[in-house]
C-alpha cells in the first residue's frame, strides 16, 4: 500500500467522528510500540509485517493516518480496522475503498461513482 493511507467515516455524505475505543480494541492485539493515547502506534501482524498509525489527540477523531503498511498479512489487519470503525480507506493517489457496497450511499456524492469495494 502507499506510504500514507487515510481513514474517514461518513454518514449521509458527511464526515463523522471515528470511535477511538473501537480503534483501540481493533489494534490491541497488534500493538508493539506506542499507544493510542500518545497518538502513535506501531502494529505488527503475525507474519512480521508492520504499519504505523497516527491518532489525533486534540479533540474528536475525524480521521486516522496509517503509514508504511507492509505487504503480507498487514493489509488484512488494516481492512479489519476499517471494518471495526465503519471507515472508508483512502490510499494516496487512489479511489476511496469501501468494504461493503451498502457503504457507498454514505459517501459524499462526489466520491460515490469512483469508490471501489475492497473486501
Amino acid at each position: 500500500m502507499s506510504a500514507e493511507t487515510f481513514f474517514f467515516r461518513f454518514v449521509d455524505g458527511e464526515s463523522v467522528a471515528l470511535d477511538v475505543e473501537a480503534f483501540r480494541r481493533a489494534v490491541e492485539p497488534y500493538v508493539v510500540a506506542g499507544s493510542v493515547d500518545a497518538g502513535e502506534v506501531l502494529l505488527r501482524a503475525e507474519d512480521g509485517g508492520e504499519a504505523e498509525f497516527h491518532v489525533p489527540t486534540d479533540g474528536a477523531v475525524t480521521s486516522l493516518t496509517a503509514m508504511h503498511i507492509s505487504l503480507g498479512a498487514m493489509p488484512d489487519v488494516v481492512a479489519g480496522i476499517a471494518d471495526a470503525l465503519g471507515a472508508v480507506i483512502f490510499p494516496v493517489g487512489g479511489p476511496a475503498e469501501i468494504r461493503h457496497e451498502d457503504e457507498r450511499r454514505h459517501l459524499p456524492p462526489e466520491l460515490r461513482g469512483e469508490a471501489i469495494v475492497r473486501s
Side-chain angles (χ1 to χ4, degrees):
M1 288 190 158
S2 65
E4 289 186 327
T5 300
F6 303 95
F7 296 72
F8 293 88
R9 184 168 183 261
F10 297 97
V11 174
D12 297 328
E14 299 292 325
S15 180
V16 298
L18 295 164
D19 182 342
V20 175
E21 290 308 312
F23 177 74
R24 187 185 316 275
R25 287 188 302 273
V27 301
E28 185 176 37
Y30 307 101
V31 174
V32 294
S35 74
V36 173
D37 295 328
E40 298 282 340
V41 290
L42 175 64
L43 309 182
R44 186 170 300 133
E46 58 276 357
D47 67 352
E50 296 182 342
E52 300 170 39
F53 271 84
H54 171 73
V55 183
T57 58
D58 56 352
V61 176
T62 57
S63 68
L64 296 170
T65 305
M67 299 155 288
H68 313 295
I69 302 170
S70 299
L71 297 176
M74 189 50 72
D76 289 336
V77 171
V78 168
I81 293 167
D83 281 344
L85 295 171
V88 178
I89 301 171
F90 287 89
V92 170
E97 296 180 7
I98 54 178
R99 300 287 297 149
H100 309 281
E101 184 59 42
D102 61 335
E103 295 172 344
R104 187 178 304 275
R105 66 186 172 89
H106 287 291
L107 291 172
E110 62 273 13
L111 298 176
R112 290 179 190 155
E114 293 186 18
I116 59 171
V117 177
R118 183 82 50 146
S119 49

